Amino acid sequence: MATTKAYAVHNSTDPLQPWNFERREPGVNDVEFEILYCGVCHSDIHQVRNEWGGSIYPMVPGHEIVGKVTRVGTGVTKFKAGDTVGVGCFVDSCRTCDNCKDGQEQYCSNGHSQTYNSFEQDKVTPTYGGYSKSIVVNQDFVLHVSDKLPLDAVAPLLCAGITTYSPLKHWKIGKGHKVAVAGLGGLGHMAVKFAVSFGAEVTVLSTSANKEADALKLGAHKFVVIKDEAQLKSVTNYFDFIIDTISAEHDYVTYLSFLKTNGVQICVGAPPTPAAVHVFNLIGGRKSLAGSLVGGLPETQEMLDYCAEHNIVSDIELIDIKNVEDSYKRMLKGDVKYRFVIDMATLS
Amino acid sequence: MATTKAYAVHNSTDPLQPWNFERREPGVNDVEFEILYCGVCHSDIHQVRNEWGGSIYPMVPGHEIVGKVTRVGTGVTKFKAGDTVGVGCFVDSCRTCDNCKDGQEQYCSNGHSQTYNSFEQDKVTPTYGGYSKSIVVNQDFVLHVSDKLPLDAVAPLLCAGITTYSPLKHWKIGKGHKVAVAGLGGLGHMAVKFAVSFGAEVTVLSTSANKEADALKLGAHKFVVIKDEAQLKSVTNYFDFIIDTISAEHDYVTYLSFLKTNGVQICVGAPPTPAAVHVFNLIGGRKSLAGSLVGGLPETQEMLDYCAEHNIVSDIELIDIKNVEDSYKRMLKGDVKYRFVIDMATLS
């Protein structure tokens, strides 16, 4: 066991504060690495505050993790000390179900082990995430990260990146498609970058008129303010796909009306309350409301390699870990362009 | 103009009663035919009673129509007097939008002309449906019907048949797929026949335990009573597709839980109230909730030809038109196996 410094919460109302805990010694197939950067995901807030229920305390949040390998187990063939690596939203899975065998560990039928607020596959050992100095993860759940890119801006690719990359690839979205990105936050800004990179015509749908310049700078071709009736008409029956990154309550019927025949609204954000969907809105144009969850290991590696090749990273604001509570407050106000990343050197 | 006998309603509370009205003389491209049989669709009840709003009176319902050609216009090349023909849910469309050009007239962007309770493309001339002795329809919206099959049992193919055939074809459902058919009524029994014919493993999901023998007789491989917890467990994460034919309110979350990863619940029935769908239920397995509306002209002809080749028809109960109100009452109690068809010879 090796003592690791971290920031943690001990119940749903406490602030995040320094906490030292023991990481396991690297096993035969484990990779230990020093965490350099960890992104701050909106789901960290939900879980820290137990807004989804079932939170496990103490909790060390963080699942957008980049660092340098310090030690590897004797059976590790894929990594060596000094390698730059990443870990995303999960650190193990059953490895035996059809989805795991298919490299879709995010849909593991027996329940994958999330990077934090979860248990290892033994179902008793809690997992602790990336707001910490080091982590030990089985080599099969560790990803290679290119040193060509700024590593702080790579961290959010491990969640926000793969969450938007995966559905774009699954639905084969690219040239010839008209794609809307609903919501321009951590997920939305990555969806714009990828959809543009894949050759689609990209429109950002937002409730905030003041995000237009940013949307266009990110590469979007059009910008539509959701509250402007005239602008809404211009996109009725217009899109092949909507990447819906909004996790606040919103009117699904309105968004579905923007889809043309056979269009698909792909939800990667999920409001806490059920969506009210009139089935007529789907039937009338053979439309679909779909969901997508991060991505499997092979696809996450593919995404990281694609980003290195095409020079794609997240737009970030690097913060001191002491300011993580403040970053939560700013995120809840939408005051972030577009991802906070913790500089783990500030955790001392 | 030629006077035609029909059964019609004059407002939302009156019963159906005899009504004589004028059909147009066949124009250059029109086909006039004597109606032999007309199926009774659940949507007839909704529209007669104005349950969807916007009903146009007087209304002659009926959009599952089979008959024999009596006269054709001088420009008609596809049909001649004596031919056996059918007409389904619509009788014209804009013919210029992308969907119409693609043979997907059911999704006409400018609004197709439904067979009744609608207007011709001039947007002023009301359309009157199949509870009548004759009809005049542009040749492009008339279908060839094989005389190899019993024509009374063919009539429901024009709505119930194509409504279930089209999504099975669109989603390429067949061998290797596990398909659930939710609800065993007019649509459901056709979904079972087609899905079995296409080689899928078919399970009927029903709230009525007493439909099991019928489901198996129709070709289904399994039958699951939706209210039996143990049976429900056996189909959790089980199906590739659910063909949801239920038009009463039901719990979409439960049905979505029956889908495996990447599964699609295809709604062809629509409850009057919005579905409450928790987006987490879609995200967790990259699932989709989709809808599908009847089918276009080319696909409807393909379906009729497929049925003639594979000896597929609807299970029907032939009725006297005087009993059509009684048939509505029985349908509302679920007392129909599986479609009422009006013998138009009884309209005198």
Side-chain angles (χ1 to χ4, degrees):
Chain A
M1 309 283 267
T3 301
T4 300
K5 290 179 192 292
Y7 258 48
V9 284
H10 294 268
N11 59 54
S12 63
T13 52
D14 266 11
L16 284 151
Q17 50 194 293
W19 184 57
N20 293 343
F21 71 104
E22 304 292 317
R23 291 279 191 197
R24 71 174 183 265
E25 287 293 304
V28 174
N29 287 301
D30 282 341
V31 173
E32 179 196 70
F33 66 94
E34 180 195 359
I35 298 175
L36 300 175
Y37 302 105
C38 183
V40 180
C41 178
H42 199 107
S43 64
D44 295 350
I45 306 178
H46 289 304
Q47 292 177 85
V48 159
R49 301 186 176 174
N50 196 22
E51 290 168 357
W52 291 341
S55 282
I56 302 163
Y57 300 101
M59 183 191 302
V60 178
H63 59 205
E64 296 182 337
I65 306 169
V66 169
K68 293 273 185 193
V69 175
T70 43
R71 288 190 292 171
V72 299
T74 53
V76 171
T77 53
K78 301 177 185 171
F79 302 93
K80 60 180 189 309
D83 283 357
T84 307
V85 294
V87 160
C89 295
F90 43 95
V91 289
D92 208 350
S93 69
C94 83
R95 301 162 183 242
T96 58
C97 73
D98 288 349
N99 289 329
C100 285
K101 285 183 190 161
D102 195 32
Q104 306 271 348
E105 301 87 353
Q106 75 272 39
Y107 303 123
C108 173
S109 304
N110 298 305
H112 56 241
S113 299
Q114 292 177 46
T115 302
Y116 72 89
N117 190 27
S118 181
F119 294 102
E120 299 284 358
Q121 286 295 298
D122 65 9
K123 311 291 180 195
V124 292
T125 309
T127 57
Y128 297 120
Y131 293 11
S132 59
K133 281 299 230 186
S134 73
I135 193 166
V136 178
V137 178
N138 185 289
Q139 64 175 333
D140 296 331
F141 289 76
V142 179
L143 298 143
H144 290 281
V145 170
S146 167
D147 285 306
K148 284 170 58 181
L149 297 174
L151 297 184
D152 49 0
V154 165
L157 299 179
L158 277 309
C159 170
I162 187 62
T163 297
T164 50
Y165 180 93
S166 181
L168 290 166
K169 297 296 275 190
H170 178 75
W171 273 274
K172 298 180 172 60
I173 299 172
K175 283 199 181 71
H177 288 135
K178 292 174 174 156
V179 176
V181 174
L184 192 62
L187 295 177
H189 93 292
M190 289 309 308
V192 171
K193 291 187 183 204
F194 284 129
V196 168
S197 177
F198 296 165
E201 180 202 290
V202 178
T203 302
V204 169
L205 308 177
S206 175
T207 51
S208 314
N210 61 10
K211 288 195 176 173
E212 178 162 9
D214 259 29
L216 301 180
K217 208 168 73 182
L218 287 163
H221 306 96
K222 301 185 184 186
F223 182 86
V224 167
V225 180
I226 279 299
K227 298 196 169 163
D228 181 319
E229 283 292 331
Q231 289 195 40
L232 289 194
K233 270 196 183 157
S234 74
V235 291
T236 297
N237 298 321
Y238 186 79
F239 298 109
D240 298 290
F241 297 95
I242 298 172
I243 309 293
D244 180 350
T245 73
I246 307 170
S247 58
E249 280 185 49
H250 55 293
D251 177 14
Y252 287 82
V253 172
T254 299
Y255 287 88
L256 286 169
S257 74
F258 302 153
L259 290 173
K260 62 169 75 156
T261 308
N262 297 318
V264 185
Q265 180 171 349
I266 305 164
C267 301
V268 291
T273 51
V277 179
H278 206 304
V279 173
F280 275 115
N281 300 123
L282 302 172
I283 290 177
R286 198 161 50 203
K287 298 176 182 180
S288 299
L289 183 72
S292 179
L293 178 68
V294 290
L297 269 301
E299 193 172 53
T300 306
Q301 188 62 63
E302 173 193 306
M303 180 270 309
L304 288 167
D305 297 345
Y306 183 89
C307 288
E309 192 184 339
H310 294 85
N311 205 30
I312 294 174
V313 289
S314 177
D315 288 13
I316 65 154
E317 181 176 335
L318 197 63
I319 62 168
D320 187 306
I321 198 165
K322 292 187 192 65
N323 298 326
V324 66
E325 281 284 342
D326 183 54
S327 78
Y328 285 8
K329 286 184 200 132
R330 288 182 52 198
M331 283 164 73
L332 291 173
K333 288 189 292 186
D335 175 23
V336 51
K337 289 181 175 181
Y338 280 93
R339 204 66 151 179
F340 290 115
V341 173
I342 304 166
D343 181 354
M344 217 51 71
T346 62
L347 174 58
S348 57
Chain B
M1 308 284 266
T3 302
T4 299
K5 290 178 192 295
Y7 259 48
V9 284
H10 295 268
N11 59 54
S12 64
T13 53
D14 266 11
L16 284 151
Q17 51 194 289
W19 184 57
N20 293 343
F21 71 103
E22 304 293 315
R23 292 278 190 195
R24 71 174 183 266
E25 286 292 304
V28 174
N29 288 301
D30 281 341
V31 174
E32 178 195 72
F33 66 93
E34 180 196 358
I35 298 175
L36 300 176
Y37 301 105
C38 183
V40 179
C41 178
H42 200 107
S43 64
D44 295 350
I45 304 177
H46 289 304
Q47 293 177 85
V48 159
R49 300 184 177 175
N50 197 23
E51 289 169 357
W52 289 342
S55 283
I56 302 163
Y57 300 100
M59 183 192 300
V60 178
H63 59 203
E64 297 182 335
I65 307 170
V66 169
K68 292 275 183 191
V69 175
T70 43
R71 289 190 292 171
V72 298
T74 53
V76 171
T77 53
K78 300 176 186 171
F79 301 93
K80 60 180 192 307
D83 284 356
T84 307
V85 294
V87 161
C89 294
F90 43 95
V91 290
D92 208 349
S93 69
C94 83
R95 299 163 184 243
T96 58
C97 72
D98 288 349
N99 288 329
C100 284
K101 284 182 189 161
D102 194 31
Q104 306 270 349
E105 302 88 353
Q106 75 272 37
Y107 302 122
C108 173
S109 305
N110 298 305
H112 56 239
S113 299
Q114 292 177 46
T115 303
Y116 72 90
N117 191 27
S118 182
F119 295 101
E120 299 284 357
Q121 286 294 298
D122 64 10
K123 311 290 181 194
V124 292
T125 309
T127 56
Y128 297 121
Y131 294 10
S132 59
K133 282 300 232 187
S134 74
I135 193 166
V136 178
V137 178
N138 184 289
Q139 63 174 333
D140 296 331
F141 288 76
V142 179
L143 298 142
H144 290 281
V145 170
S146 166
D147 285 307
K148 283 169 58 182
L149 297 175
L151 298 184
D152 49 1
V154 165
L157 299 180
L158 277 310
C159 171
I162 186 62
T163 297
T164 50
Y165 180 94
S166 180
L168 290 166
K169 296 297 275 191
H170 179 74
W171 274 274
K172 299 181 172 58
I173 300 172
K175 284 199 181 68
H177 288 135
K178 290 173 176 158
V179 176
V181 174
L184 192 61
L187 296 177
H189 93 291
M190 289 309 308
V192 171
K193 291 187 184 204
F194 284 129
V196 168
S197 177
F198 296 165
E201 181 202 289
V202 178
T203 302
V204 169
L205 307 177
S206 175
T207 51
S208 315
N210 61 12
K211 287 194 175 173
E212 178 162 7
D214 259 29
L216 300 180
K217 209 167 73 183
L218 286 163
H221 306 95
K222 299 185 185 187
F223 182 86
V224 167
V225 180
I226 279 298
K227 301 198 166 161
D228 180 320
E229 284 293 330
Q231 291 195 40
L232 289 194
K233 270 198 183 156
S234 73
V235 292
T236 298
N237 299 321
Y238 186 80
F239 298 109
D240 299 287
F241 296 95
I242 298 171
I243 309 293
D244 181 350
T245 73
I246 307 171
S247 58
E249 279 184 51
H250 54 294
D251 177 14
Y252 287 82
V253 172
T254 299
Y255 286 89
L256 287 169
S257 74
F258 301 153
L259 289 173
K260 63 169 76 157
T261 307
N262 297 318
V264 185
Q265 179 171 350
I266 306 164
C267 302
V268 291
T273 53
V277 179
H278 206 303
V279 172
F280 276 115
N281 300 123
L282 302 172
I283 289 177
R286 196 161 52 203
K287 298 175 182 182
S288 299
L289 183 71
S292 179
L293 179 67
V294 292
L297 269 300
E299 194 173 52
T300 306
Q301 188 62 63
E302 174 193 307
M303 180 270 309
L304 288 168
D305 296 346
Y306 183 89
C307 288
E309 192 184 334
H310 294 84
N311 204 30
I312 294 174
V313 290
S314 175
D315 290 12
I316 65 153
E317 181 176 334
L318 196 63
I319 61 168
D320 187 307
I321 198 165
K322 292 186 192 68
N323 297 327
V324 66
E325 282 284 342
D326 182 55
S327 78
Y328 284 10
K329 286 184 201 137
R330 286 182 53 197
M331 284 164 73
L332 292 172
K333 289 188 292 185
D335 175 24
V336 50
K337 290 182 176 179
Y338 278 93
R339 204 67 151 179
F340 290 114
V341 173
I342 303 166
D343 180 354
M344 218 50 72
T346 63
L347 173 58
S348 56

Short mmCIF file of all heavy atoms in Angstrom, two decimals, chain B residues 119-155:
data_model
loop_
_atom_site.label_atom_id
_atom_site.label_comp_id
_atom_site.label_asym_id
_atom_site.label_seq_id
_atom_site.Cartn_x
_atom_site.Cartn_y
_atom_site.Cartn_z
N PHE B 119 -57.95 16.36 -46.79
CA PHE B 119 -58.30 17.08 -48.02
C PHE B 119 -57.42 16.62 -49.16
O PHE B 119 -56.26 16.23 -48.96
CB PHE B 119 -58.14 18.60 -47.83
CG PHE B 119 -59.07 19.19 -46.85
CD1 PHE B 119 -58.66 19.50 -45.56
CD2 PHE B 119 -60.41 19.43 -47.20
CE1 PHE B 119 -59.53 20.05 -44.62
CE2 PHE B 119 -61.30 19.98 -46.27
CZ PHE B 119 -60.85 20.28 -44.97
N GLU B 120 -57.98 16.69 -50.38
CA GLU B 120 -57.16 16.48 -51.57
C GLU B 120 -56.05 17.52 -51.58
O GLU B 120 -56.05 18.46 -50.79
CB GLU B 120 -58.02 16.60 -52.84
CG GLU B 120 -59.16 15.57 -52.95
CD GLU B 120 -58.69 14.17 -53.34
OE1 GLU B 120 -57.48 13.97 -53.60
OE2 GLU B 120 -59.55 13.26 -53.38
N GLN B 121 -55.11 17.40 -52.50
CA GLN B 121 -53.98 18.32 -52.53
C GLN B 121 -54.39 19.76 -52.82
O GLN B 121 -53.60 20.69 -52.61
CB GLN B 121 -52.91 17.84 -53.53
CG GLN B 121 -52.13 16.62 -53.01
CD GLN B 121 -51.27 16.91 -51.78
OE1 GLN B 121 -50.35 17.71 -51.83
NE2 GLN B 121 -51.59 16.26 -50.66
N ASP B 122 -55.63 19.96 -53.29
CA ASP B 122 -56.12 21.34 -53.46
C ASP B 122 -56.41 21.99 -52.10
O ASP B 122 -56.69 23.18 -52.02
CB ASP B 122 -57.37 21.38 -54.35
CG ASP B 122 -58.57 20.64 -53.75
OD1 ASP B 122 -58.53 20.25 -52.57
OD2 ASP B 122 -59.57 20.45 -54.49
N LYS B 123 -56.33 21.18 -51.03
CA LYS B 123 -56.51 21.62 -49.64
C LYS B 123 -57.94 22.08 -49.33
O LYS B 123 -58.19 22.65 -48.26
CB LYS B 123 -55.53 22.75 -49.24
CG LYS B 123 -54.06 22.46 -49.60
CD LYS B 123 -53.42 21.38 -48.77
CE LYS B 123 -51.94 21.16 -49.16
NZ LYS B 123 -51.39 19.90 -48.63
N VAL B 124 -58.89 21.84 -50.25
CA VAL B 124 -60.28 22.22 -49.97
C VAL B 124 -61.28 21.07 -50.16
O VAL B 124 -62.31 21.02 -49.49
CB VAL B 124 -60.77 23.42 -50.83
CG1 VAL B 124 -60.05 24.70 -50.42
CG2 VAL B 124 -60.58 23.16 -52.32
N THR B 125 -60.98 20.14 -51.06
CA THR B 125 -61.92 19.06 -51.33
C THR B 125 -61.74 17.94 -50.30
O THR B 125 -60.67 17.35 -50.22
CB THR B 125 -61.68 18.47 -52.75
OG1 THR B 125 -61.67 19.54 -53.69
CG2 THR B 125 -62.75 17.45 -53.09
N PRO B 126 -62.78 17.67 -49.51
CA PRO B 126 -62.61 16.62 -48.49
C PRO B 126 -62.44 15.24 -49.11
O PRO B 126 -62.95 14.98 -50.21
CB PRO B 126 -63.90 16.70 -47.67
CG PRO B 126 -64.85 17.51 -48.46
CD PRO B 126 -64.12 18.29 -49.49
N THR B 127 -61.72 14.38 -48.41
CA THR B 127 -61.59 12.99 -48.86
C THR B 127 -62.53 12.12 -48.04
O THR B 127 -62.74 12.35 -46.85
CB THR B 127 -60.15 12.49 -48.68
OG1 THR B 127 -59.76 12.64 -47.31
CG2 THR B 127 -59.18 13.25 -49.57
N TYR B 128 -63.13 11.14 -48.74
CA TYR B 128 -64.06 10.21 -48.08
C TYR B 128 -63.53 8.80 -48.28
O TYR B 128 -63.11 8.44 -49.39
CB TYR B 128 -65.46 10.35 -48.67
CG TYR B 128 -66.07 11.73 -48.44
CD1 TYR B 128 -66.47 12.53 -49.51
CD2 TYR B 128 -66.25 12.21 -47.14
CE1 TYR B 128 -67.03 13.80 -49.29
CE2 TYR B 128 -66.80 13.48 -46.92
CZ TYR B 128 -67.19 14.26 -48.00
OH TYR B 128 -67.72 15.50 -47.78
N GLY B 129 -63.58 8.00 -47.22
CA GLY B 129 -62.90 6.71 -47.21
C GLY B 129 -63.71 5.52 -47.67
O GLY B 129 -64.65 5.64 -48.46
N GLY B 130 -63.35 4.38 -47.14
CA GLY B 130 -63.73 3.10 -47.70
C GLY B 130 -65.00 2.46 -47.20
O GLY B 130 -65.38 1.40 -47.69
N TYR B 131 -65.70 3.08 -46.24
CA TYR B 131 -67.00 2.52 -45.83
C TYR B 131 -68.01 2.94 -46.89
O TYR B 131 -69.03 3.56 -46.59
CB TYR B 131 -67.46 3.07 -44.48
CG TYR B 131 -66.67 2.71 -43.23
CD1 TYR B 131 -65.43 2.09 -43.28
CD2 TYR B 131 -67.20 2.99 -41.96
CE1 TYR B 131 -64.72 1.79 -42.13
CE2 TYR B 131 -66.51 2.69 -40.80
CZ TYR B 131 -65.26 2.09 -40.89
OH TYR B 131 -64.58 1.80 -39.73
N SER B 132 -67.75 2.61 -48.14
CA SER B 132 -68.60 3.08 -49.24
C SER B 132 -68.51 2.11 -50.40
O SER B 132 -67.69 1.19 -50.40
CB SER B 132 -68.18 4.50 -49.66
OG SER B 132 -66.83 4.52 -50.07
N LYS B 133 -69.37 2.31 -51.37
CA LYS B 133 -69.47 1.38 -52.49
C LYS B 133 -68.39 1.57 -53.54
O LYS B 133 -68.09 0.65 -54.30
CB LYS B 133 -70.84 1.55 -53.17
CG LYS B 133 -71.98 0.89 -52.42
CD LYS B 133 -71.75 -0.62 -52.31
CE LYS B 133 -72.95 -1.41 -52.79
NZ LYS B 133 -72.75 -2.86 -52.50
N SER B 134 -67.86 2.78 -53.64
CA SER B 134 -66.85 3.02 -54.69
C SER B 134 -65.91 4.13 -54.26
O SER B 134 -66.20 4.89 -53.32
CB SER B 134 -67.54 3.41 -56.00
OG SER B 134 -68.04 4.73 -55.92
N ILE B 135 -64.81 4.24 -54.98
CA ILE B 135 -63.85 5.30 -54.69
C ILE B 135 -63.11 5.64 -55.98
O ILE B 135 -63.00 4.80 -56.88
CB ILE B 135 -62.88 4.88 -53.55
CG1 ILE B 135 -62.08 6.09 -53.00
CG2 ILE B 135 -61.96 3.76 -54.01
CD1 ILE B 135 -61.38 5.79 -51.68
N VAL B 136 -62.63 6.88 -56.08
CA VAL B 136 -61.87 7.33 -57.25
C VAL B 136 -60.54 7.86 -56.75
O VAL B 136 -60.50 8.78 -55.92
CB VAL B 136 -62.63 8.45 -58.01
CG1 VAL B 136 -61.79 8.94 -59.20
CG2 VAL B 136 -63.99 7.95 -58.49
N VAL B 137 -59.44 7.25 -57.22
CA VAL B 137 -58.12 7.58 -56.70
C VAL B 137 -57.12 7.68 -57.86
O VAL B 137 -57.18 6.89 -58.81
CB VAL B 137 -57.64 6.50 -55.69
CG1 VAL B 137 -56.24 6.81 -55.18
CG2 VAL B 137 -58.62 6.38 -54.53
N ASN B 138 -56.24 8.64 -57.79
CA ASN B 138 -55.18 8.78 -58.79
C ASN B 138 -54.39 7.47 -58.87
O ASN B 138 -54.05 6.87 -57.85
CB ASN B 138 -54.25 9.93 -58.38
CG ASN B 138 -53.19 10.18 -59.43
OD1 ASN B 138 -52.28 9.38 -59.61
ND2 ASN B 138 -53.33 11.28 -60.16
N GLN B 139 -54.08 7.05 -60.10
CA GLN B 139 -53.47 5.73 -60.30
C GLN B 139 -52.17 5.53 -59.52
O GLN B 139 -51.83 4.41 -59.16
CB GLN B 139 -53.21 5.47 -61.79
CG GLN B 139 -52.21 6.43 -62.43
CD GLN B 139 -51.88 6.04 -63.88
OE1 GLN B 139 -51.95 4.88 -64.27
NE2 GLN B 139 -51.51 7.04 -64.69
N ASP B 140 -51.47 6.63 -59.24
CA ASP B 140 -50.19 6.49 -58.53
C ASP B 140 -50.38 6.09 -57.07
O ASP B 140 -49.40 5.73 -56.39
CB ASP B 140 -49.41 7.80 -58.60
CG ASP B 140 -49.02 8.14 -60.03
OD1 ASP B 140 -48.85 7.19 -60.83
OD2 ASP B 140 -48.92 9.33 -60.36
N PHE B 141 -51.60 6.19 -56.58
CA PHE B 141 -51.86 5.83 -55.17
C PHE B 141 -52.75 4.60 -55.05
O PHE B 141 -53.32 4.33 -54.00
CB PHE B 141 -52.43 7.04 -54.43
CG PHE B 141 -51.35 8.09 -54.21
CD1 PHE B 141 -50.93 8.92 -55.27
CD2 PHE B 141 -50.72 8.21 -52.99
CE1 PHE B 141 -49.91 9.84 -55.08
CE2 PHE B 141 -49.71 9.14 -52.80
CZ PHE B 141 -49.30 9.96 -53.85
N VAL B 142 -52.86 3.86 -56.17
CA VAL B 142 -53.63 2.61 -56.20
C VAL B 142 -52.64 1.46 -56.29
O VAL B 142 -51.60 1.57 -56.94
CB VAL B 142 -54.60 2.60 -57.40
CG1 VAL B 142 -55.38 1.29 -57.45
CG2 VAL B 142 -55.54 3.80 -57.33
N LEU B 143 -52.94 0.38 -55.61
CA LEU B 143 -52.03 -0.76 -55.54
C LEU B 143 -52.63 -1.99 -56.22
O LEU B 143 -53.84 -2.20 -56.18
CB LEU B 143 -51.73 -1.07 -54.07
CG LEU B 143 -51.03 0.11 -53.38
CD1 LEU B 143 -51.51 0.26 -51.96
CD2 LEU B 143 -49.52 -0.05 -53.45
N HIS B 144 -51.76 -2.79 -56.81
CA HIS B 144 -52.20 -4.06 -57.38
C HIS B 144 -52.37 -5.10 -56.28
O HIS B 144 -51.49 -5.22 -55.41
CB HIS B 144 -51.16 -4.58 -58.38
CG HIS B 144 -51.09 -3.76 -59.64
ND1 HIS B 144 -52.00 -3.90 -60.66
CD2 HIS B 144 -50.22 -2.80 -60.03
CE1 HIS B 144 -51.69 -3.06 -61.64
NE2 HIS B 144 -50.61 -2.36 -61.27
N VAL B 145 -53.47 -5.82 -56.33
CA VAL B 145 -53.72 -6.88 -55.35
C VAL B 145 -53.86 -8.21 -56.08
O VAL B 145 -54.62 -8.32 -57.05
CB VAL B 145 -54.99 -6.58 -54.53
CG1 VAL B 145 -55.39 -7.79 -53.68
CG2 VAL B 145 -54.78 -5.35 -53.66
N SER B 146 -53.15 -9.21 -55.60
CA SER B 146 -53.22 -10.53 -56.23
C SER B 146 -54.55 -11.20 -55.92
O SER B 146 -55.07 -11.08 -54.81
CB SER B 146 -52.07 -11.41 -55.70
OG SER B 146 -52.29 -12.75 -56.03
N ASP B 147 -55.10 -11.91 -56.90
CA ASP B 147 -56.33 -12.66 -56.66
C ASP B 147 -56.06 -14.00 -56.00
O ASP B 147 -57.00 -14.76 -55.72
CB ASP B 147 -57.08 -12.85 -57.99
CG ASP B 147 -57.75 -11.56 -58.45
OD1 ASP B 147 -58.50 -10.98 -57.63
OD2 ASP B 147 -57.51 -11.14 -59.59
N LYS B 148 -54.79 -14.30 -55.76
CA LYS B 148 -54.46 -15.59 -55.13
C LYS B 148 -54.92 -15.67 -53.69
O LYS B 148 -55.10 -16.75 -53.14
CB LYS B 148 -52.92 -15.79 -55.14
CG LYS B 148 -52.35 -16.19 -56.49
CD LYS B 148 -50.84 -16.12 -56.51
CE LYS B 148 -50.18 -16.99 -55.45
NZ LYS B 148 -48.69 -16.85 -55.49
N LEU B 149 -55.07 -14.50 -53.07
CA LEU B 149 -55.41 -14.48 -51.63
C LEU B 149 -56.89 -14.12 -51.43
O LEU B 149 -57.49 -13.47 -52.29
CB LEU B 149 -54.54 -13.45 -50.92
CG LEU B 149 -53.03 -13.72 -50.93
CD1 LEU B 149 -52.29 -12.55 -50.31
CD2 LEU B 149 -52.70 -15.01 -50.21
N PRO B 150 -57.48 -14.53 -50.31
CA PRO B 150 -58.86 -14.13 -50.00
C PRO B 150 -58.91 -12.61 -49.80
O PRO B 150 -58.23 -12.08 -48.93
CB PRO B 150 -59.18 -14.88 -48.70
CG PRO B 150 -57.85 -15.25 -48.12
CD PRO B 150 -56.89 -15.38 -49.26
N LEU B 151 -59.70 -11.94 -50.61
CA LEU B 151 -59.62 -10.47 -50.66
C LEU B 151 -60.10 -9.81 -49.37
O LEU B 151 -59.62 -8.73 -49.02
CB LEU B 151 -60.41 -9.94 -51.86
CG LEU B 151 -59.88 -10.42 -53.23
CD1 LEU B 151 -60.67 -9.76 -54.36
CD2 LEU B 151 -58.39 -10.10 -53.38
N ASP B 152 -61.04 -10.45 -48.68
CA ASP B 152 -61.48 -9.84 -47.41
C ASP B 152 -60.32 -9.79 -46.41
O ASP B 152 -60.14 -8.80 -45.70
CB ASP B 152 -62.70 -10.57 -46.82
CG ASP B 152 -62.54 -12.09 -46.78
OD1 ASP B 152 -61.47 -12.62 -47.18
OD2 ASP B 152 -63.50 -12.77 -46.35
N ALA B 153 -59.51 -10.82 -46.39
CA ALA B 153 -58.39 -10.90 -45.44
C ALA B 153 -57.18 -10.10 -45.91
O ALA B 153 -56.23 -9.88 -45.16
CB ALA B 153 -58.01 -12.35 -45.21
N VAL B 154 -57.22 -9.66 -47.18
CA VAL B 154 -56.16 -8.80 -47.70
C VAL B 154 -56.36 -7.35 -47.24
O VAL B 154 -55.40 -6.62 -46.98
CB VAL B 154 -56.11 -8.86 -49.24
CG1 VAL B 154 -55.27 -7.72 -49.83
CG2 VAL B 154 -55.56 -10.20 -49.71
N ALA B 155 -57.63 -6.93 -47.12
CA ALA B 155 -57.92 -5.52 -46.84
C ALA B 155 -57.07 -4.96 -45.69
O ALA B 155 -56.44 -3.90 -45.85
CB ALA B 155 -59.42 -5.34 -46.57
#
